[in-house]
Amino acid sequence: MSTERARADAGRGARRRQVRYTRMLAGTVVTLAVVVVALTLANALQGPRLADVTVDPSALVSRPEQSLVLRASQRLAPVEAADVRVEPAAPHRVTSDESGVTITFDGMLPYATRYTVTVDAATAATGVTSELVADFTTADADVFALVRNGATGADDLITRRALSDGESAQVLALPGIQEYAVAGSHLAAATVAADGTNSLVTAPAAGGGPTSPVGLPTTGTVTRLHGSGVTELFGFLFTPPAGTPERQTTLFVHDPTAGSPISRPVLGPDGQPLDVLDWIFVPDTTSVVAQASDLNLYLIDTMVSAAVVPLGQHQELRGFIPGTRSLVVADANGSTAIDVGTGESTLLELPPDFSQPDDYPGEVIVLGPDEYLEILMTPDYTPGATRLNPRVVHVGTEGARVVYEPVAEETEIRSMCVSPNGHHLAVELVDGDPSPDGYPNVPASIGMSTVILDIATGATVGGMNGFLPSWC
């Protein structure tokens, strides 16, 4: 009897536990359902949130038409240009789809600059709005310079500084550095001997590494040494000594990543080395534009022997408009822009510089179809030392304005060049009473310096001892 009662009690306990479990489970399900409904309602009443950002800070300063992409946590309603704010301001276009927003910048952005992009976005389902905010900083830029110490008997120096950092660091020290160039992770330096002949070496652009000799055809002179950015290629003109049979100036290219000292001559349309007056790399490519001794221009891919395209006859190469494949050339009738991609030529109708009768024009750098920089000088011939009174003027459709004028009246401007992204200007200065430094092929003055400016504002960004900034 007691056994049967125990079994009955156990059965009733099990049923009670089952009832409690069922009630607890039901309560949990109800609670979860309430939570899900609440979260769904909260999400529906909340605007979109930023889920992901895609941006390349280096590409933004080295190529135009680069984008920032913002991905949202919910499907978006269409976003218009008026819904996007970029600070500091930069020309841009806006496209969007349900997953996010793309902001494409028209031109290259300034170096080492922090941007904030704010998008007023709404969900596609409910129209609830919120702000998507993304911050990014563009890549910095290195600037190199050559400091000559030959007058003191010390080695010449190649130094480097970041645009955003005032400290310069030594990269290479050699006696008699005539000129140098930077390409990617390498630099090349041409040194000059007492007899005026040259040697050529490469070294790591970061400094601290060994130098590697570059082979030359024979003794002679190296001039117009240039580098081609990320391609790591260097090019230079080589002229053998006077009296050499069939003597001409030949363009050579050298690849320091190939592990060989060999340099290759650049061949013209007849398959033979050109006799070259001047030349320039198409920026960040393996192609060059070479000006032959008869003034004919040729576009040549140095990696493809048969790729030679004639570009016509012109008197002067003035460089590429920043961020483009448009080469500016000068002739008696003015300046022309040649698109080396299509071969199309456009005569530039540059605005007047509003110079005065006593002003003398100097170097010109074309920044766009209707925009350029120019060195103007107003010489003072009063008794005593002649003062050139130089200044750099920016000329555009809105008129002319002075970008830079030396503080000291005795300071002269030797040359200038624009940063690859077109936002900064490096100006070489000769202070006081200049004394020649005695170098035969690229002569300069003792004690030169370089000032770096923001073209848009004229503000001084920094400075360096030396000259021949790597942008030139």
Side-chain angles (χ1 to χ4, degrees), residues 315-333:
Q315 294 178 346
E316 181 185 351
L317 297 179
R318 285 193 169 176
F320 283 87
I321 295 174
T324 75
R325 292 292 185 261
S326 292
L327 173 67
V328 179
V329 296
D331 295 288
N333 62 339

Side-chain angles (χ1 to χ4, degrees), residues 6-20:
R7 288 176 179 173
D9 292 342
R12 286 192 295 271
R15 285 193 297 274
R16 286 195 294 270
R17 288 193 297 272
Q18 180 65 37
V19 170
R20 287 196 298 271

